[in-house]
Amino acid sequence: MTCGGTSLGLVLEGGGLRGVYTSGVLEALAELKLSVDLVIGTSMGAGNGANWVAGQVARNRVVNIRFVRDARWFSWWRLLRTGEAFGMDFIYGKVPLELVPFDFAGFRASPTPWWCTLTDVDSGEALHISKEDLSDQELMTLLAAATSLPWIGQPRLFRGRRVMDGGLVDSVPLATCEELGCRRQVVVLTQPEGYRKSAASAGALLRWRHPHCAGLWKALARRHSQYNAALDLCEQRRREGRAFILRPSQVRNVGRLTRDAALLEALCDQGYRETLARREELLTWLERTAHIPRP
């Protein structure tokens, strides 16, 4: 499924728990009644986007913050025992099915296409999977894989391919959104302006953790250059008037694995406030680019 003409895409970066900034941004965009033609997300951005498509934007704040101190959600002891720190059966089983129900029917019925970015751990290539023909279980498997960080997680099998967090290969899938036909994008980043990623120094650790996942090693080696190229493309599209970039003015004391609920709530609130503060700028951009020509 693709978009055409002047379709508007919503592109969501991951960033681990920094993704709560995106949760707040989406609350503000929903309040502004933003309508988009396609949603694509990487890592936590995929989960944030799934709730947007299901019409459950407020659910992001709950599921991304409420359980962070719960051992069923995250445990270093579980990492030692099983090789996985996040409790994926809890996060993508008990939570969406019982504790904070996900609207699977609403997600499937929504006319808005949803795409998730993954890394194939054998080839090192990016995979982009749409919601079409996904069962409920496959959706949860995709989201578990999308948020399975290589250093503290394990690959998951999806339709015969071993996959993990797509942040290694397509952290900011703006180019993919364009390939799917969108001519304009609202892009939500989780790092402040000026951030650039450095070359990874944990290649040996990754080889030790995943000795049979050569694709991960290759992806990690080129991750910084691909990520920085994606940021360059975001800036180019912004200058051309084809992208509207939302990003935190600053990120204080919140990293990929921050489990301080107060800090996470503050960052989520920051995303909400900073987006509403740019309301007029966003509305003006949307009106001005409504008939943007094909490149």
Side-chain angles (χ1 to χ4, degrees), residues 191-199 224-235 247:
Q191 292 282 13
E193 187 174 4
Y195 175 80
R196 304 292 286 184
K197 190 173 291 294
S198 302
H224 65 291
S225 58
Q226 289 184 332
Y227 182 85
N228 293 335
L231 293 184
D232 291 342
L233 180 61
C234 286
E235 177 58 20
R247 66 198 319 165

Side-chain angles (χ1 to χ4, degrees), residues 132-155:
E132 292 188 57
D133 302 322
L134 285 180
S135 68
D136 294 355
Q137 183 57 55
E138 283 182 319
L139 174 60
M140 291 299 106
T141 297
L142 274 183
L143 290 176
T147 52
S148 185
L149 304 177
W151 292 272
I152 57 171
Q154 294 290 345

Side-chain angles (χ1 to χ4, degrees), residues 61-80:
R61 180 186 293 260
V62 178
V63 298
N64 292 334
I65 299 176
R66 177 183 293 178
F67 304 104
V68 290
R69 301 303 302 178
D70 191 318
R72 295 173 296 176
W73 191 85
F74 185 95
S75 168
W76 291 115
W77 174 241
R78 181 170 44 248
L79 175 64
L80 295 175

Side-chain angles (χ1 to χ4, degrees), residues 273-293:
R273 290 194 313 271
E274 292 185 347
T275 302
L276 287 186
R278 298 182 65 190
R279 175 182 182 277
E280 294 304 321
E281 183 184 354
L282 173 59
L283 295 178
T284 299
W285 177 82
L286 289 169
E287 181 178 1
R288 186 178 71 246
T289 62
H291 302 290
I292 193 169

Side-chain angles (χ1 to χ4, degrees), residues 4-72:
T6 59
S7 297
L8 177 65
L10 180 60
V11 179
L12 307 176
E13 185 184 5
L17 270 298
R18 285 191 303 272
V20 298
Y21 179 83
T22 302
S23 302
V25 169
L26 295 184
E27 289 178 4
L29 294 180
E31 189 173 304
L32 296 175
K33 301 188 185 307
L34 178 71
S35 176
V36 301
D37 301 294
L38 182 146
V39 177
I40 183 168
T42 296
S43 193
M44 190 169 169
N48 277 322
N51 284 313
W52 171 281
V53 171
Q56 294 180 287
V57 172
R59 185 176 180 273
N60 281 322
R61 180 186 293 260
V62 178
V63 298
N64 292 334
I65 299 176
R66 177 183 293 178
F67 304 104
V68 290
R69 301 303 302 178
D70 191 318
R72 295 173 296 176

